Amino acid sequence: MKQNFPDSFPTNPLWKSITLNQLQVFKTTAQHGSFTHAAKQLHLSQPTVSSQIKHLSTALGMPLFEQVGKQVYLTPAGQEVFDACQTIFERLEQLETNLAEFRGMEQGHLRLAAATTAKYFIPKLLNPFCQRYPSLTISLEITDHQGVVERLNKNLDDLYILSHLPEQDKIEAESLLCNPLVLVAPKRHPLTRQSHLPLKSLEKKPFIMRERGSETRSSVEQLLYQHKVSVQVKLELNSNEAIKQAVVEGLGLAVLSMHSLSANDLTQLAILNVEGFPIHRQWHVIFLREKKLSFVARTFLDYLLEESQAYCQVYSSLTRNDSAFASKLKAS
Ligand code: PGA
């Protein structure tokens, strides 16, 4: 089939003269080198394919194929159109993927699991994210460190927030915020009169501890063990809020994350300046390396890393050294 140049060249802009459907038929024909095979592939009749190509050639003002027997070959102009088709359809496919992901942000669900103490800062970080994506639903499972590790092993959530990293090579971890652990006493406790205390001064003192499985507890036990100090564990509680109440009531001393202490708490509790405190821990966000994160989870991860930097700058100024840390905290 020999196609001739039309007498008059088209004057309309391309987007008015041609359709995506014609381009799709043209692209398929070029890929198969045959009208018949293209028709089969597109579930069209062979005359429909020929007619679409003819309309496209006319609209563009030049032949796009040269026919030799049953085989069709691209003309130089046809090759140019074919290259453009590749770009156009690739871009459309990309657009389709991106739009699906946007729909994902609108209708998606984010599953998070965080260690008990993270509940003091996660909602603050979640709030602007929820406002940005109002249709998104989020489930946040709060449990102690051990519980989060178990959820990770069962692949129950998208992202996990912990301070101490589990010893596993199947995880990716990103550092988030600092997590200083401080020793607290009731406001009028005798130890509050001393500006600096050796760790040994805690020997045999009554303590309120978090439950076993808590990383806060493990950190305290590790410090005491390293310095051969033994304290009297009077009470075990799985709630930071309950621990604060118990300390206020004089049941013992306790170690809490600075994140858990509000200005109001510090009207009743004092932070003791004891050797070895604050214990410096770091919050991390972790996920399974092999897991393909959903678009929602990836978006939240990027957001979390960016936002936590700003949040951490405030904290690092408060924790530069112990006394500055204590006085600034008292002033807050
Ligand atoms: P916890 O864990 O609240 O269970 O002590 C905190 C952490 O992971 O450090």
Side-chain angles (χ1 to χ4, degrees), residues 115-117 144-145 162-164 179 210 213-217 283:
T116 313
T117 310
D144 63 24
H145 174 90
L162 286 174
S163 70
H164 183 67
N179 181 26
R210 282 280 307 277
S214 149
E215 179 55 28
T216 308
R217 178 176 184 147
W283 288 108

Side-chain angles (χ1 to χ4, degrees), residues 249-309:
E249 294 305 323
L251 285 161
L253 308 173
V255 175
L256 291 167
S257 165
M258 188 176 141
H259 289 279
S260 70
L261 295 168
S262 68
N264 193 39
D265 292 329
L266 294 170
T267 60
Q268 303 184 81
L269 295 171
I271 293 172
L272 300 179
N273 196 5
V274 178
E275 178 193 7
F277 288 92
I279 302 172
H280 295 286
R281 290 288 187 198
Q282 184 79 22
W283 288 108
H284 295 91
V285 55
I286 64 177
F287 52 93
L288 291 167
R289 182 171 294 134
E290 300 288 316
K291 186 177 170 102
K292 182 172 170 6
L293 288 183
S294 69
F295 183 70
V296 173
R298 266 186 289 127
T299 306
F300 182 68
L301 178 62
D302 292 343
Y303 163 85
L304 201 55
L305 296 176
E306 202 178 303
E307 287 302 305
S308 63
Q309 286 311 313

